[in-house]
Amino acid sequence: MLYWLAETLDFAGIFNLIRYLSFRAGAAIFTALLIGLVIGPKFIGWLRVRQGKGQPIRTDGPQTHLAKRGTPTMGGLMILTSMVASVLLWMDLSSTYVWACLFVTLGFGAIGFLDDYDKVTKASHKGLSGKMRLLFEFLIAGVAAWMIVHQHGNTALYVPFYNGPAIELGPFYFCFAAFVIVAFGNAVNLTDGLDGLATMPVIIASLAFLLIVYLVGRADFAQYLGIPHVPGAGNLTILCGAIIGSGLAFLWFNAPPAAVFMGDTGSLALGGTIGVIAVTAHHEIVLGIIGGLFVVEALSVIIQVFFYKRTGKRVFRMAPIHHHFEQLGWAEPTVVIRFWIIAFVLALAGLATLKLR
């Protein structure tokens, strides 16, 4: 909105700063952070009144989590409110990439909301059926992938650490892109099991992709680094900034002991958003490195289910893997902070691929 005003009215002087991506990205962080901190207390109070008993706690999970009964969920609504408001304020809304990302953000957020609502109203941790969720997620991700490819026409897969030609996927790229978006959305969702565990790694991944989308949006930097150039992708720095700001605001209230849980409303939307940003920047494989923590969390569940169904034995004491470490005797804050460190190291490793080609 402000970018459009600056372009339309041809502001000069200090208002000319609005035209710069770096300024708007920083402003998006501050705006989302401020909105989140302001609306947070009343929002949490409203959720507590509306939900009564709060999010149902699994009785077969770690017994220490039973003390969290009564904590309201759907805190992701607070994240999405501050994030989307900041994006609409600072972003160039003529960009197709903006609307593709927002379509995934709001679409996945709606699916997560319905899942959270079902859990709260039925006082059950089951929520919507997995098949129903995946169906709608793939439909949303497929539309977003079509919007992105329709804009830049590139269906190639770029491999990090390799400076040769990209792998042309053709029509199969739509399926691949949709899979990346859905898989990462659900990976973040599975990680959101401890206070602050998913929030900070999402912020770290967003910081990494803020730099990536800025570089791929610049022809000079992209050519120098040997990475794909995607004209207009630089606008997504503002979206990354909004995720960072809204995430920090939520973390203020989600820090142990959490006053509110993100719920599927937030985790599914944030994961899907980072996934679609990676697809836009053609850094899908790098996403697996930067978001390696989320990948490991998802794999731990897949491995656990696979082996248990076939052998009746568990590979981990409990899945996702953060619960495994809790069962080993690690305190919750210990698990959370150590996983944050791992997320930070993986983000640095992912950024290293920009030059090692």
Side-chain angles (χ1 to χ4, degrees):
M1 181 65 72
L2 290 179
Y3 175 82
W4 178 81
L5 286 173
E7 288 293 311
T8 304
L9 301 179
D10 194 25
F11 283 139
I14 190 170
F15 293 102
N16 195 48
L17 287 172
I18 297 174
R19 292 190 174 95
Y20 291 93
L21 283 174
S22 55
F23 174 81
R24 285 186 285 133
I29 295 174
F30 178 77
T31 302
L33 175 62
L34 183 62
I35 293 174
L37 291 175
V38 169
I39 69 174
K42 290 186 178 180
F43 205 92
I44 293 170
W46 177 76
L47 287 175
R48 186 174 288 113
V49 170
R50 297 289 296 180
Q51 295 179 11
K53 296 181 179 180
Q55 176 173 299
I57 305 297
R58 296 176 63 108
T59 55
D60 58 345
Q63 295 304 298
T64 55
H65 290 201
L66 297 178
K68 300 181 181 183
R69 282 176 173 163
T71 305
T73 187
M74 297 187 193
L77 289 172
M78 183 178 77
I79 298 175
L80 297 184
T81 299
S82 56
M83 184 179 108
V84 173
S86 181
V87 166
L88 294 178
L89 186 63
W90 295 107
M91 213 161 191
D92 176 8
L93 300 180
S94 65
S95 171
T96 301
Y97 301 137
V98 176
W99 294 108
C101 291
L102 287 180
F103 182 67
V104 171
T105 302
L106 297 177
F108 277 37
I111 295 171
F113 174 81
L114 291 174
D115 196 50
D116 286 333
Y117 184 80
D118 198 55
K119 291 175 183 176
V120 171
T121 54
K122 294 180 180 178
S124 170
H125 60 79
K126 292 182 179 180
L128 298 178
S129 69
K131 290 181 180 179
M132 184 68 70
R133 278 182 45 155
L134 285 175
L135 173 62
F136 286 112
E137 287 169 16
F138 270 105
L139 285 174
I140 293 168
V143 172
W146 178 84
M147 292 172 68
I148 292 168
V149 174
H150 181 72
Q151 179 67 20
H152 60 53
N154 191 347
T155 55
L157 175 64
Y158 295 84
V159 182
F161 306 112
Y162 174 63
N163 201 28
I167 302 172
E168 180 56 51
L169 297 181
F172 294 104
Y173 182 79
F174 293 97
C175 298
F176 172 72
F179 172 78
V180 169
I181 296 168
V182 172
F184 205 75
N186 283 280
V188 174
N189 182 229
L190 289 170
T191 306
D192 184 35
L194 303 178
D195 297 347
L197 179 59
T199 310
M200 182 54 74
V202 163
I203 292 171
I204 293 170
S206 298
L207 277 168
F209 272 98
L210 185 148
L211 177 60
I212 289 172
V213 293
Y214 177 77
L215 294 174
V216 299
R218 291 278 301 265
D220 49 353
F221 289 149
Q223 182 179 7
Y224 171 72
L225 293 170
I227 58 178
H229 170 50
V230 184
N235 281 304
L236 296 182
T237 56
I238 290 90
L239 176 58
C240 292
I243 295 174
I244 294 165
S246 59
L248 289 172
F250 178 76
L251 191 60
W252 182 268
F253 303 103
N254 187 236
V260 64
F261 294 143
M262 183 188 299
D264 293 359
T265 308
S267 58
L268 201 61
L270 291 175
T273 303
I274 296 175
V276 75
I277 290 172
V279 168
T280 303
H282 275 289
H283 275 67
E284 300 92 347
I285 296 178
V286 174
L287 172 64
I289 301 173
I290 292 175
L293 175 67
F294 302 115
V295 175
V296 170
E297 290 273 7
L299 285 176
S300 69
V301 174
I302 295 171
I303 292 170
Q304 185 86 323
V305 172
F306 179 83
F307 277 94
Y308 186 76
K309 284 187 174 180
R310 282 157 181 78
T311 66
K313 297 180 180 179
R314 292 180 171 86
V315 177
F316 307 101
R317 293 193 176 187
M318 190 175 292
I321 199 169
H322 54 261
H323 291 322
H324 170 78
F325 289 105
E326 282 190 290
Q327 295 299 313
L328 289 178
W330 291 20
E332 182 173 329
T334 303
V335 177
V336 171
I337 293 174
R338 287 178 179 173
F339 275 40
W340 287 0
I341 295 170
I342 293 171
F344 180 74
V345 172
L346 289 172
L348 292 178
L351 289 175
T353 67
L354 294 174
K355 187 57 182 171
L356 300 176
R357 294 186 179 243

